Amino acid sequence: MAVAMVEIAIPFAHSLKDKRHVVKGIIARLRNRFNVSVAEMEYMDIWQRAVLGIACISNDGKFANGEIDKAIDYIESGEGEYQVINIDVQIL
């Protein structure tokens, strides 16, 4: 099993609606492209900040880590409407 917490800043969000548009888009794309579970974890009421929790459960640690790495690479490549501030990955 591998877990990641990705903190992002959304500098152009001027409301929770703007933030939700960005966050929901990221979550939907990650779920569709990779074998991971994703949820918004922190800063629910702050317009310009979000923490996404990403998890992959597998009996093969290398596979789980690989899926998390691909998901993180995808998040980092999409920076434009948001910026990645911090990434914390744990393999359990």
Coordinates of all heavy atoms in Angstrom, one line a residue:
M1 N 0.8 -1.2 0.0 CA 0.0 0.0 0.0 C 0.9 1.2 0.0 O 1.9 1.3 0.7 CB -0.9 0.0 1.2 CG -1.8 1.2 1.3 SD -3.1 1.1 2.5 CE -2.3 1.7 4.0
A2 N 0.5 2.2 -0.8 CA 1.2 3.5 -0.8 C 0.2 4.6 -0.7 O -0.9 4.6 -1.2 CB 2.0 3.6 -2.1
V3 N 0.6 5.7 0.1 CA -0.3 6.8 0.3 C 0.5 8.1 0.1 O 1.7 8.2 0.4 CB -0.7 6.8 1.8 CG1 -1.6 8.0 2.1 CG2 -1.4 5.5 2.1
A4 N -0.1 9.1 -0.5 CA 0.5 10.4 -0.7 C -0.5 11.5 -0.2 O -1.7 11.4 -0.4 CB 0.9 10.6 -2.1
M5 N 0.1 12.5 0.3 CA -0.6 13.8 0.6 C 0.0 14.9 -0.3 O 1.2 15.1 -0.2 CB -0.5 14.1 2.1 CG -1.0 13.1 3.0 SD -2.8 13.0 3.0 CE -3.2 14.3 4.1
V6 N -0.8 15.5 -1.1 CA -0.3 16.5 -2.0 C -1.0 17.8 -1.6 O -2.2 17.9 -1.8 CB -0.6 16.2 -3.5 CG1 0.0 17.3 -4.4 CG2 0.1 14.8 -3.8
E7 N -0.2 18.8 -1.2 CA -0.8 20.1 -0.9 C -0.7 21.0 -2.1 O 0.4 21.1 -2.7 CB -0.1 20.7 0.3 CG -0.7 22.1 0.7 CD 0.0 22.6 2.0 OE1 0.8 21.9 2.6 OE2 -0.4 23.7 2.4
I8 N -1.7 21.7 -2.5 CA -1.7 22.6 -3.7 C -2.2 23.9 -3.3 O -3.1 24.1 -2.4 CB -2.5 22.0 -4.9 CG1 -4.0 21.8 -4.5 CG2 -1.9 20.7 -5.4 CD1 -4.9 21.5 -5.7
A9 N -1.7 25.0 -4.0 CA -2.2 26.3 -3.9 C -3.0 26.6 -5.1 O -2.6 26.2 -6.2 CB -1.1 27.3 -3.7
I10 N -4.1 27.3 -5.0 CA -4.9 27.7 -6.2 C -5.0 29.2 -6.1 O -6.0 29.8 -5.7 CB -6.3 27.0 -6.1 CG1 -6.1 25.5 -5.8 CG2 -7.1 27.3 -7.4 CD1 -7.4 24.8 -5.3
P11 N -4.0 29.9 -6.6 CA -3.9 31.4 -6.5 C -5.0 32.1 -7.2 O -5.3 33.3 -6.8 CB -2.5 31.7 -7.0 CG -2.2 30.6 -7.9 CD -2.8 29.4 -7.3
F12 N -5.6 31.6 -8.2 CA -6.6 32.3 -9.0 C -8.1 32.0 -8.5 O -9.0 32.6 -9.1 CB -6.5 32.0 -10.5 CG -5.1 32.3 -11.0 CD1 -4.3 31.3 -11.4 CD2 -4.7 33.6 -11.1 CE1 -3.0 31.6 -11.9 CE2 -3.4 33.9 -11.5 CZ -2.6 32.9 -11.9
A13 N -8.2 31.2 -7.4 CA -9.5 31.0 -6.9 C -10.0 32.2 -6.0 O -9.2 32.6 -5.2 CB -9.5 29.7 -6.0
H14 N -11.1 32.7 -6.3 CA -11.7 33.8 -5.6 C -12.9 33.4 -4.8 O -13.6 34.3 -4.2 CB -12.0 35.0 -6.5 CG -10.8 35.4 -7.3 ND1 -9.8 36.1 -6.6 CD2 -10.4 35.3 -8.5 CE1 -8.8 36.4 -7.5 NE2 -9.2 35.9 -8.7
S15 N -13.2 32.1 -4.8 CA -14.4 31.6 -4.1 C -14.2 30.1 -3.9 O -13.4 29.5 -4.5 CB -15.7 31.9 -4.8 OG -15.7 31.2 -6.0
L16 N -15.0 29.6 -3.0 CA -15.0 28.1 -2.8 C -15.5 27.4 -4.1 O -15.0 26.3 -4.4 CB -15.9 27.7 -1.7 CG -15.3 27.9 -0.3 CD1 -16.4 27.6 0.8 CD2 -14.0 27.2 -0.1
K17 N -16.3 28.1 -4.9 CA -16.8 27.5 -6.1 C -15.6 27.3 -7.1 O -15.5 26.3 -7.8 CB -17.9 28.4 -6.8 CG -18.5 27.8 -8.0 CD -19.6 28.7 -8.5 CE -20.2 28.1 -9.7 NZ -21.3 28.9 -10.2
D18 N -14.8 28.4 -7.2 CA -13.6 28.3 -8.0 C -12.6 27.2 -7.6 O -12.1 26.4 -8.4 CB -12.8 29.6 -8.0 CG -13.5 30.8 -8.7 OD1 -14.4 30.5 -9.4 OD2 -13.1 31.9 -8.4
K19 N -12.4 27.1 -6.3 CA -11.6 26.0 -5.7 C -12.2 24.6 -6.0 O -11.4 23.7 -6.5 CB -11.5 26.2 -4.2 CG -10.7 25.0 -3.6 CD -10.8 25.1 -2.1 CE -10.2 23.9 -1.4 NZ -10.3 23.9 0.0
R20 N -13.4 24.4 -5.8 CA -14.1 23.1 -6.0 C -14.0 22.7 -7.5 O -13.8 21.5 -7.8 CB -15.5 23.2 -5.6 CG -15.8 23.4 -4.2 CD -15.6 22.2 -3.3 NE -15.8 22.5 -2.0 CZ -14.8 22.6 -1.1 NH1 -13.6 22.4 -1.4 NH2 -15.1 22.9 0.2
H21 N -14.1 23.7 -8.4 CA -13.9 23.4 -9.8 C -12.5 22.8 -10.1 O -12.4 21.8 -10.8 CB -14.1 24.6 -10.7 CG -13.9 24.5 -12.1 ND1 -14.8 23.8 -12.9 CD2 -12.9 24.8 -12.9 CE1 -14.4 23.8 -14.2 NE2 -13.2 24.4 -14.2
V22 N -11.5 23.4 -9.6 CA -10.1 22.9 -9.8 C -9.9 21.5 -9.1 O -9.5 20.6 -9.7 CB -9.1 23.9 -9.3 CG1 -7.7 23.3 -9.3 CG2 -9.2 25.2 -10.1
V23 N -10.3 21.4 -7.8 CA -10.1 20.2 -7.1 C -10.9 19.0 -7.6 O -10.3 17.9 -7.8 CB -10.4 20.4 -5.6 CG1 -10.4 19.1 -4.8 CG2 -9.4 21.4 -5.0
K24 N -12.1 19.2 -8.0 CA -12.9 18.2 -8.5 C -12.4 17.7 -9.9 O -12.4 16.5 -10.2 CB -14.4 18.6 -8.6 CG -15.1 18.6 -7.3 CD -16.6 18.9 -7.5 CE -17.2 18.8 -6.1 NZ -18.7 18.7 -6.2
G25 N -11.9 18.6 -10.7 CA -11.3 18.2 -11.9 C -10.0 17.3 -11.7 O -9.9 16.3 -12.4
I26 N -9.2 17.7 -10.8 CA -8.0 16.9 -10.5 C -8.4 15.5 -10.0 O -7.9 14.5 -10.5 CB -7.1 17.6 -9.4 CG1 -6.5 18.9 -10.0 CG2 -6.0 16.7 -9.0 CD1 -5.9 19.8 -8.9
I27 N -9.3 15.5 -9.1 CA -9.8 14.2 -8.5 C -10.3 13.3 -9.6 O -10.0 12.1 -9.7 CB -10.8 14.4 -7.4 CG1 -10.0 15.0 -6.2 CG2 -11.5 13.1 -7.0 CD1 -10.9 15.4 -5.0
A28 N -11.2 13.8 -10.5 CA -11.8 13.0 -11.5 C -10.8 12.5 -12.5 O -10.8 11.3 -12.9 CB -12.9 13.9 -12.3
R29 N -9.8 13.3 -12.9 CA -8.8 12.9 -13.8 C -7.9 11.8 -13.2 O -7.6 10.8 -13.9 CB -8.0 14.1 -14.3 CG -8.8 15.0 -15.2 CD -7.9 16.1 -15.9 NE -7.3 16.9 -15.0 CZ -7.8 18.1 -14.5 NH1 -9.0 18.5 -14.9 NH2 -7.1 18.9 -13.7
L30 N -7.5 11.9 -11.9 CA -6.7 10.9 -11.3 C -7.4 9.6 -11.2 O -6.9 8.5 -11.4 CB -6.3 11.4 -9.9 CG -5.2 12.5 -9.9 CD1 -5.0 13.0 -8.4 CD2 -3.9 12.1 -10.5
R31 N -8.7 9.6 -10.8 CA -9.5 8.4 -10.7 C -9.7 7.7 -12.0 O -9.7 6.5 -12.1 CB -10.9 8.7 -10.1 CG -10.8 9.0 -8.6 CD -12.2 9.3 -8.1 NE -12.1 9.6 -6.6 CZ -13.1 10.2 -6.0 NH1 -14.2 10.6 -6.6 NH2 -13.0 10.4 -4.7
N32 N -9.8 8.5 -13.1 CA -10.0 7.9 -14.4 C -8.7 7.3 -15.0 O -8.8 6.3 -15.7 CB -10.6 8.9 -15.4 CG -12.1 9.2 -15.0 OD1 -12.8 8.4 -14.5 ND2 -12.5 10.4 -15.4
R33 N -7.6 7.9 -14.7 CA -6.3 7.5 -15.4 C -5.5 6.5 -14.6 O -4.7 5.8 -15.2 CB -5.5 8.8 -15.6 CG -6.1 9.7 -16.6 CD -5.2 10.9 -16.8 NE -5.9 11.9 -17.6 CZ -5.4 12.3 -18.8 NH1 -4.2 11.9 -19.2 NH2 -6.0 13.2 -19.5
F34 N -5.7 6.5 -13.3 CA -4.8 5.7 -12.5 C -5.6 4.8 -11.5 O -6.8 5.1 -11.2 CB -3.8 6.5 -11.7 CG -3.0 7.5 -12.5 CD1 -3.4 8.8 -12.6 CD2 -2.0 7.1 -13.3 CE1 -2.7 9.7 -13.4 CE2 -1.3 7.9 -14.1 CZ -1.7 9.3 -14.2
N35 N -5.0 3.8 -11.0 CA -5.6 2.8 -10.1 C -5.4 3.3 -8.7 O -4.8 2.7 -7.9 CB -5.0 1.4 -10.3 CG -5.7 0.4 -9.5 OD1 -6.9 0.5 -9.1 ND2 -5.1 -0.7 -9.3
V36 N -6.0 4.5 -8.4 CA -5.9 5.1 -7.1 C -7.2 5.6 -6.6 O -8.1 5.9 -7.3 CB -4.9 6.3 -7.1 CG1 -3.5 5.8 -7.5 CG2 -5.3 7.4 -8.1
S37 N -7.3 5.8 -5.2 CA -8.4 6.5 -4.6 C -7.9 7.9 -4.2 O -6.8 8.1 -3.8 CB -8.8 5.8 -3.3 OG -9.3 4.5 -3.7
V38 N -8.8 8.9 -4.4 CA -8.4 10.3 -4.1 C -9.5 11.0 -3.4 O -10.7 10.8 -3.7 CB -8.1 11.0 -5.5 CG1 -7.6 12.4 -5.2 CG2 -7.2 10.3 -6.4
A39 N -9.1 11.9 -2.5 CA -10.1 12.7 -1.7 C -9.4 14.0 -1.3 O -8.2 14.0 -1.0 CB -10.6 11.9 -0.5
E40 N -10.2 15.0 -1.1 CA -9.7 16.2 -0.5 C -9.7 16.0 1.0 O -10.7 15.6 1.6 CB -10.7 17.4 -0.9 CG -10.2 18.7 -0.4 CD -11.1 19.9 -0.8 OE1 -12.1 19.7 -1.5 OE2 -10.7 21.0 -0.4
M41 N -8.6 16.4 1.6 CA -8.4 16.0 3.0 C -8.4 17.2 4.0 O -8.8 17.0 5.1 CB -7.0 15.3 3.2 CG -6.9 14.1 2.3 SD -8.0 12.8 2.7 CE -7.5 12.3 4.3
E42 N -7.9 18.3 3.5 CA -7.7 19.5 4.5 C -8.1 20.8 3.8 O -8.2 20.8 2.6 CB -6.3 19.6 5.0 CG -5.9 18.4 5.9 CD -4.5 18.5 6.5 OE1 -4.0 19.7 6.6 OE2 -3.9 17.5 6.7
Y43 N -8.2 21.8 4.6 CA -8.5 23.2 4.1 C -9.8 23.2 3.3 O -9.9 23.9 2.3 CB -7.3 23.7 3.2 CG -6.0 23.7 3.9 CD1 -4.9 23.0 3.3 CD2 -5.8 24.3 5.1 CE1 -3.7 23.0 3.9 CE2 -4.5 24.3 5.7 CZ -3.5 23.6 5.1 OH -2.2 23.6 5.7
M44 N -10.8 22.6 3.8 CA -12.1 22.5 3.1 C -12.7 23.9 2.9 O -13.4 24.1 1.9 CB -13.1 21.6 3.8 CG -12.5 20.2 4.0 SD -12.2 19.4 2.5 CE -13.2 17.9 2.8
D45 N -12.5 24.8 3.8 CA -13.2 26.1 3.7 C -12.2 27.2 3.3 O -12.6 28.4 3.4 CB -13.8 26.4 5.1 CG -15.0 25.5 5.4 OD1 -15.6 25.0 4.4 OD2 -15.2 25.2 6.6
I46 N -11.0 26.9 2.9 CA -10.1 27.9 2.5 C -10.0 27.9 1.0 O -9.8 26.9 0.3 CB -8.7 27.6 3.1 CG1 -8.8 27.7 4.6 CG2 -7.7 28.6 2.5 CD1 -7.5 27.3 5.3
W47 N -10.2 29.1 0.4 CA -10.4 29.2 -1.1 C -9.2 28.8 -1.9 O -9.3 28.3 -3.0 CB -10.7 30.7 -1.5 CG -12.0 31.2 -0.9 CD1 -12.9 30.5 -0.2 CD2 -12.4 32.5 -1.0 NE1 -13.9 31.4 0.1 CE2 -13.7 32.6 -0.4 CE3 -11.9 33.7 -1.6 CZ2 -14.4 33.8 -0.3 CZ3 -12.6 34.8 -1.6 CH2 -13.9 34.9 -0.9
Q48 N -8.0 29.1 -1.4 CA -6.8 29.0 -2.2 C -5.9 27.9 -1.8 O -4.7 27.9 -2.2 CB -6.1 30.3 -2.3 CG -6.9 31.4 -3.0 CD -6.2 32.7 -3.1 OE1 -5.3 33.0 -2.3 NE2 -6.6 33.5 -4.1
R49 N -6.3 26.9 -1.1 CA -5.5 25.9 -0.6 C -6.3 24.6 -0.6 O -7.5 24.6 -0.3 CB -5.1 26.2 0.8 CG -3.8 25.8 1.5 CD -2.5 25.8 0.7 NE -1.8 27.0 0.5 CZ -0.8 27.5 1.2 NH1 -0.4 26.9 2.3 NH2 -0.2 28.6 0.9
A50 N -5.6 23.4 -0.8 CA -6.2 22.1 -0.7 C -5.1 21.1 -0.5 O -4.0 21.2 -0.9 CB -7.0 21.8 -2.0
V51 N -5.5 20.0 0.2 CA -4.6 18.9 0.4 C -5.4 17.7 -0.2 O -6.5 17.4 0.2 CB -4.3 18.6 1.8 CG1 -3.5 17.3 2.0 CG2 -3.4 19.8 2.4
L52 N -4.8 17.0 -1.1 CA -5.4 15.8 -1.7 C -4.7 14.5 -1.1 O -3.5 14.5 -1.1 CB -5.2 15.8 -3.2 CG -5.8 17.0 -4.0 CD1 -5.5 16.9 -5.4 CD2 -7.3 17.0 -3.7
G53 N -5.5 13.6 -0.7 CA -5.0 12.3 -0.2 C -5.1 11.3 -1.3 O -6.2 11.2 -1.9
I54 N -4.1 10.6 -1.7 CA -4.1 9.6 -2.7 C -3.6 8.3 -2.2 O -2.6 8.2 -1.5 CB -3.1 10.1 -3.9 CG1 -3.5 11.5 -4.4 CG2 -3.2 9.1 -5.0 CD1 -2.4 12.1 -5.3
A55 N -4.3 7.2 -2.5 CA -4.0 5.9 -1.9 C -4.1 4.9 -3.0 O -5.0 4.9 -3.9 CB -4.9 5.5 -0.8
C56 N -3.2 3.9 -3.0 CA -3.2 2.7 -3.9 C -2.9 1.5 -3.0 O -1.9 1.4 -2.3 CB -2.2 2.8 -5.0 SG -2.2 1.4 -6.1
I57 N -3.9 0.6 -3.0 CA -3.7 -0.6 -2.2 C -3.4 -1.8 -3.2 O -4.1 -2.0 -4.2 CB -5.0 -0.9 -1.5 CG1 -5.4 0.3 -0.7 CG2 -4.9 -2.2 -0.7 CD1 -5.8 0.2 0.7
S58 N -2.4 -2.5 -2.9 CA -2.0 -3.7 -3.7 C -1.1 -4.6 -2.8 O -0.5 -4.1 -1.9 CB -1.2 -3.2 -4.9 OG -0.6 -4.2 -5.6
N59 N -1.0 -5.8 -3.2 CA -0.1 -6.8 -2.5 C 1.3 -6.6 -3.0 O 2.2 -7.2 -2.5 CB -0.6 -8.2 -2.6 CG -0.7 -8.7 -4.0 OD1 -0.5 -7.9 -5.0 ND2 -1.0 -9.9 -4.2
D60 N 1.5 -5.8 -4.0 CA 2.8 -5.5 -4.6 C 3.2 -4.1 -4.3 O 2.6 -3.2 -4.9 CB 2.8 -5.8 -6.1 CG 4.1 -5.6 -6.8 OD1 5.1 -5.2 -6.1 OD2 4.2 -5.8 -8.0
G61 N 4.1 -3.9 -3.4 CA 4.5 -2.5 -3.0 C 5.0 -1.7 -4.2 O 4.8 -0.5 -4.2
K62 N 5.8 -2.4 -5.1 CA 6.3 -1.6 -6.2 C 5.2 -1.1 -7.1 O 5.3 0.0 -7.6 CB 7.3 -2.5 -7.0 CG 8.6 -2.8 -6.3 CD 9.5 -3.6 -7.2 CE 10.8 -3.9 -6.5 NZ 11.7 -4.7 -7.3
F63 N 4.2 -1.9 -7.3 CA 3.1 -1.5 -8.2 C 2.4 -0.3 -7.5 O 2.1 0.7 -8.2 CB 2.1 -2.6 -8.4 CG 0.8 -2.2 -9.1 CD1 0.8 -2.0 -10.5 CD2 -0.3 -1.9 -8.4 CE1 -0.3 -1.6 -11.1 CE2 -1.5 -1.5 -9.0 CZ -1.5 -1.3 -10.4
A64 N 2.1 -0.4 -6.2 CA 1.4 0.7 -5.5 C 2.2 2.0 -5.6 O 1.7 3.0 -5.9 CB 1.1 0.3 -4.1
N65 N 3.5 1.9 -5.3 CA 4.4 3.0 -5.4 C 4.4 3.6 -6.8 O 4.4 4.8 -6.9 CB 5.8 2.7 -4.9 CG 6.7 3.9 -4.7 OD1 6.2 4.9 -4.3 ND2 7.9 3.7 -5.1
G66 N 4.5 2.7 -7.8 CA 4.5 3.2 -9.2 C 3.2 4.0 -9.5 O 3.3 5.0 -10.2
E67 N 2.1 3.5 -9.1 CA 0.8 4.2 -9.4 C 0.8 5.6 -8.7 O 0.3 6.5 -9.3 CB -0.4 3.4 -8.9 CG -0.6 2.1 -9.8 CD -1.0 2.5 -11.2 OE1 -2.1 3.2 -11.4 OE2 -0.3 2.1 -12.1
I68 N 1.2 5.6 -7.4 CA 1.3 6.9 -6.7 C 2.3 7.8 -7.4 O 2.0 9.0 -7.6 CB 1.7 6.7 -5.2 CG1 0.6 5.9 -4.5 CG2 2.0 8.0 -4.6 CD1 -0.7 6.7 -4.3
D69 N 3.4 7.3 -7.9 CA 4.4 8.2 -8.6 C 3.8 8.7 -9.9 O 4.0 9.9 -10.2 CB 5.7 7.4 -8.9 CG 6.6 7.2 -7.7 OD1 6.3 7.9 -6.6 OD2 7.4 6.3 -7.7
K70 N 3.1 7.9 -10.6 CA 2.5 8.4 -11.8 C 1.4 9.4 -11.6 O 1.3 10.4 -12.3 CB 1.8 7.2 -12.6 CG 2.8 6.2 -13.2 CD 2.0 5.2 -13.9 CE 2.7 3.8 -13.9 NZ 1.9 2.7 -14.4
A71 N 0.6 9.2 -10.5 CA -0.4 10.2 -10.2 C 0.2 11.5 -9.8 O -0.2 12.6 -10.2 CB -1.3 9.7 -9.0
I72 N 1.3 11.5 -9.0 CA 2.0 12.7 -8.6 C 2.6 13.4 -9.8 O 2.5 14.6 -9.9 CB 3.1 12.4 -7.5 CG1 2.4 12.0 -6.2 CG2 4.0 13.6 -7.3 CD1 3.3 11.5 -5.1
D73 N 3.2 12.6 -10.7 CA 3.8 13.2 -11.9 C 2.7 13.9 -12.7 O 2.9 15.0 -13.2 CB 4.5 12.2 -12.8 CG 5.8 11.7 -12.2 OD1 6.3 12.3 -11.2 OD2 6.2 10.6 -12.6
Y74 N 1.5 13.3 -12.8 CA 0.4 13.9 -13.5 C 0.0 15.2 -12.8 O -0.3 16.2 -13.5 CB -0.7 12.9 -13.6 CG -1.9 13.5 -14.3 CD1 -1.9 13.5 -15.7 CD2 -3.0 14.0 -13.7 CE1 -3.0 14.0 -16.4 CE2 -4.1 14.5 -14.4 CZ -4.0 14.5 -15.7 OH -5.1 15.1 -16.4
I75 N -0.1 15.2 -11.5 CA -0.5 16.4 -10.8 C 0.5 17.5 -11.1 O 0.2 18.7 -11.4 CB -0.6 16.2 -9.3 CG1 -1.9 15.3 -9.0 CG2 -0.8 17.5 -8.5 CD1 -2.0 14.8 -7.6
E76 N 1.8 17.2 -11.0 CA 2.9 18.2 -11.2 C 2.9 18.7 -12.6 O 3.2 19.9 -12.9 CB 4.2 17.6 -10.8 CG 4.4 17.4 -9.3 CD 5.7 16.8 -9.0 OE1 6.3 16.0 -9.7 OE2 6.2 17.1 -7.9
S77 N 2.5 17.9 -13.6 CA 2.5 18.3 -15.0 C 1.3 19.3 -15.3 O 1.4 20.0 -16.3 CB 2.5 17.1 -15.9 OG 1.2 16.5 -15.9
G78 N 0.3 19.3 -14.5 CA -0.9 20.1 -14.7 C -0.8 21.4 -14.1 O -1.8 22.1 -14.1
E79 N 0.3 21.8 -13.6 CA 0.4 23.1 -12.9 C 0.1 24.2 -13.9 O 0.7 24.3 -14.9 CB 1.7 23.3 -12.2 CG 1.9 22.4 -11.0 CD 3.2 22.7 -10.3 OE1 3.5 23.8 -10.0 OE2 3.9 21.7 -10.0
G80 N -0.8 25.1 -13.6 CA -1.2 26.2 -14.4 C -2.3 26.9 -13.6 O -2.2 28.1 -13.3
E81 N -3.3 26.2 -13.3 CA -4.4 26.7 -12.5 C -4.1 26.5 -11.0 O -4.8 27.0 -10.2 CB -5.7 26.2 -12.9 CG -5.8 24.7 -12.9 CD -7.2 24.2 -13.5 OE1 -8.1 25.0 -13.8 OE2 -7.3 23.0 -13.8
Y82 N -3.1 25.7 -10.7 CA -2.7 25.5 -9.3 C -1.2 25.2 -9.2 O -0.5 25.1 -10.3 CB -3.4 24.3 -8.8 CG -3.1 23.0 -9.5 CD1 -2.1 22.2 -9.2 CD2 -4.0 22.6 -10.5 CE1 -1.8 21.0 -9.9 CE2 -3.7 21.4 -11.2 CZ -2.6 20.6 -10.9 OH -2.4 19.5 -11.6
Q83 N -0.6 25.3 -8.0 CA 0.8 25.0 -7.8 C 0.9 24.0 -6.7 O 0.3 24.1 -5.7 CB 1.5 26.3 -7.3 CG 1.4 27.4 -8.3 CD 1.8 28.8 -7.7 OE1 1.8 28.9 -6.5 NE2 2.1 29.7 -8.6
V84 N 1.8 23.0 -6.9 CA 2.1 22.0 -5.9 C 3.0 22.6 -4.8 O 4.1 23.2 -5.2 CB 2.7 20.8 -6.5 CG1 3.1 19.8 -5.4 CG2 1.8 20.1 -7.5
I85 N 2.6 22.6 -3.6 CA 3.4 23.2 -2.5 C 4.2 22.1 -1.8 O 5.4 22.3 -1.5 CB 2.5 23.9 -1.5 CG1 1.8 25.0 -2.1 CG2 3.2 24.3 -0.2 CD1 0.7 25.7 -1.3
N86 N 3.6 21.0 -1.5 CA 4.3 19.9 -0.7 C 3.7 18.5 -1.1 O 2.5 18.4 -1.4 CB 4.0 20.2 0.8 CG 4.8 19.2 1.7 OD1 5.9 18.9 1.3 ND2 4.3 18.9 2.8
I87 N 4.6 17.6 -1.1 CA 4.2 16.2 -1.4 C 4.9 15.3 -0.3 O 6.1 15.4 0.0 CB 4.7 15.7 -2.8 CG1 4.1 16.6 -3.9 CG2 4.4 14.3 -3.0 CD1 4.7 16.4 -5.2
D88 N 4.0 14.4 0.3 CA 4.5 13.5 1.3 C 4.0 12.1 0.8 O 2.8 11.9 0.8 CB 4.0 13.8 2.6 CG 4.4 12.9 3.7 OD1 5.5 12.3 3.6 OD2 3.7 12.7 4.7
V89 N 5.0 11.2 0.6 CA 4.6 9.8 0.1 C 5.1 8.8 1.2 O 6.2 8.9 1.7 CB 5.3 9.5 -1.2 CG1 5.0 8.1 -1.6 CG2 4.9 10.5 -2.3
Q90 N 4.2 7.9 1.5 CA 4.6 6.8 2.4 C 4.2 5.5 1.8 O 3.1 5.3 1.2 CB 3.8 7.0 3.7 CG 4.2 8.2 4.5 CD 3.4 8.3 5.8 OE1 2.6 7.5 6.1 NE2 3.7 9.4 6.5
I91 N 5.1 4.5 1.9 CA 4.8 3.1 1.5 C 4.7 2.3 2.7 O 5.6 2.3 3.6 CB 6.0 2.6 0.6 CG1 6.1 3.5 -0.6 CG2 5.7 1.2 0.2 CD1 7.4 3.2 -1.5
L92 N 3.5 1.7 2.9 CA 3.2 1.0 4.1 C 3.3 -0.5 3.9 O 3.0 -1.0 2.8 CB 1.9 1.4 4.6 CG 1.7 2.9 4.8 CD1 0.2 3.2 5.1 CD2 2.6 3.4 5.9

